[in-house]
C-alpha cells in the first residue's frame, strides 16, 4: 500500500490500497485503511509529547539494558541488539532507539500518550493503554496507514493535523 499527501493542503496525491485489486491473495484488501502495528512510526509522537511536557532536545537519555514494570518485567531491546550508553534526546529519536523511548513513555504514562495519539487522529480501535503498556512506545497498537499519514501532517503544520482530502 502507498499513500502520499501534500502536508500543507491534505490533498491526496497517491492512494494505492494493494498491488493488484483483482489479485487472489490480498488484492481486495485496502492496505491504506487496514489496521496493523506501526512499529517505530509512533516514536516521533512520543518525543513530541515529551517536548511539550518540558523535555529538551539536548537532554540526556540512557540507552542501557533496562527493566520496566513488575513481574514479569518488560525488557526492551534495540533492533540491533546493542546499546549506546547516554545519548541526547535528539539522537535517541533520530536513531529510533527503543530503550530511551520506553523510558520516556514510562515517565509520561501510557494513558497520557494514548490520549495524545487519539488527539492526533489515531482511532486505536481495539487497543487499550492498559493492554499495550510500555510497548506502545514501540508500536504495540493498531493504526492504519491513512491515520499515520494524516497525523504526520502535524510535523509540517506547526502541530496542527491537516485533514486528508481528494479520495
Amino acid at each position: 500500500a502507498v499513500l502520499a499527501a501534500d502536508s500543507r493542503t491534505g490533498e491526496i496525491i497517491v492512494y494505492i490500497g494493494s498491488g493488484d485489486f483483482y489479485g487472489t491473495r490480498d488484492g481486495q484488501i485496502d492496505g491504506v485503511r487496514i489496521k496493523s502495528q506501526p512499529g517505530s512510526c509512533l516514536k516521533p509522537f512520543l518525543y513530541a509529547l515529551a517536548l511539550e511536557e518540558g523535555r529538551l532536545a539536548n537532554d540526556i537519555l540512557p540507552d542501557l539494558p533496562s527493566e520496566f514494570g513488575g513481574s514479569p518485567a518488560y525488557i526492551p531491546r534495540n533492533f540491533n541488539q546493542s546499546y549506546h550508553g547516554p545519548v541526547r534526546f535528539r539522537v535517541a529519536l533520530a536513531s529510533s532507539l527503543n530503550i530511551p523511548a520506553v523510558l520516556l513513555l514510562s515517565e509520561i504514562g501510557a494513558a497520557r500518550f494514548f490520549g495524545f495519539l487519539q488527539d492526533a487522529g489515531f482511532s486505536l480501535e481495539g487497543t487499550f493503554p492498559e493492554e499495550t503498556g510500555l510497548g506502545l512506545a514501540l508500536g504495540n497498537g493498531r493504526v492504519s496507514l491513512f491515520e499515520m499519514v494524516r497525523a504526520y501532517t502535524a510535523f509540517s503544520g506547526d502541530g496542527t493535523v491537516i485533514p486528508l482530502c481528494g479520495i
Side-chain angles (χ1 to χ4, degrees):
V2 177
L3 180 64
D6 184 321
S7 63
R8 294 165 301 170
T9 65
E11 180 184 2
I12 294 175
I13 300 165
V14 176
Y15 185 124
I16 302 172
S18 65
D20 177 9
F21 181 79
Y22 297 103
T24 56
R25 208 171 120 216
D26 59 0
Q28 295 185 17
I29 295 173
D30 186 347
V32 171
R33 300 258 183 204
I34 197 166
K35 306 275 185 173
S36 61
Q37 290 187 334
S40 292
C41 293
L42 295 180
K43 284 181 189 170
F45 298 97
L46 175 60
Y47 281 81
L49 178 57
L51 288 169
E52 279 188 10
E53 295 196 345
R55 283 289 193 158
L56 302 173
N58 62 350
D59 282 354
I60 301 297
L61 299 172
D63 184 35
L64 303 166
S66 303
E67 292 184 12
F68 298 90
S71 178
Y74 179 53
I75 306 171
R77 290 181 173 71
N78 288 317
F79 178 75
N80 63 4
Q81 301 298 316
S82 66
Y83 302 97
H84 302 88
V87 294
R88 295 203 185 279
F89 180 101
R90 67 167 85 58
V91 172
L93 171 58
S95 302
S96 191
L97 299 176
N98 289 342
I99 289 91
V102 173
L103 173 73
L104 286 174
L105 184 56
S106 73
E107 293 174 359
I108 291 170
R112 171 85 176 95
F113 183 46
F114 193 86
F116 184 79
L117 291 173
Q118 288 179 314
D119 290 346
F122 292 103
S123 67
L124 295 161
E125 294 171 18
T127 303
F128 304 97
E130 60 276 2
E131 291 175 357
T132 61
L134 297 178
L136 189 57
L138 310 181
N140 189 7
R142 297 175 51 79
V143 302
S144 70
L145 178 58
F146 186 89
E147 291 172 327
M148 188 70 67
V149 170
R150 180 182 58 209
Y152 263 81
T153 65
F155 293 116
S156 63
D158 288 331
T160 302
V161 174
I162 307 298
L164 301 185
C165 57
I167 57 172

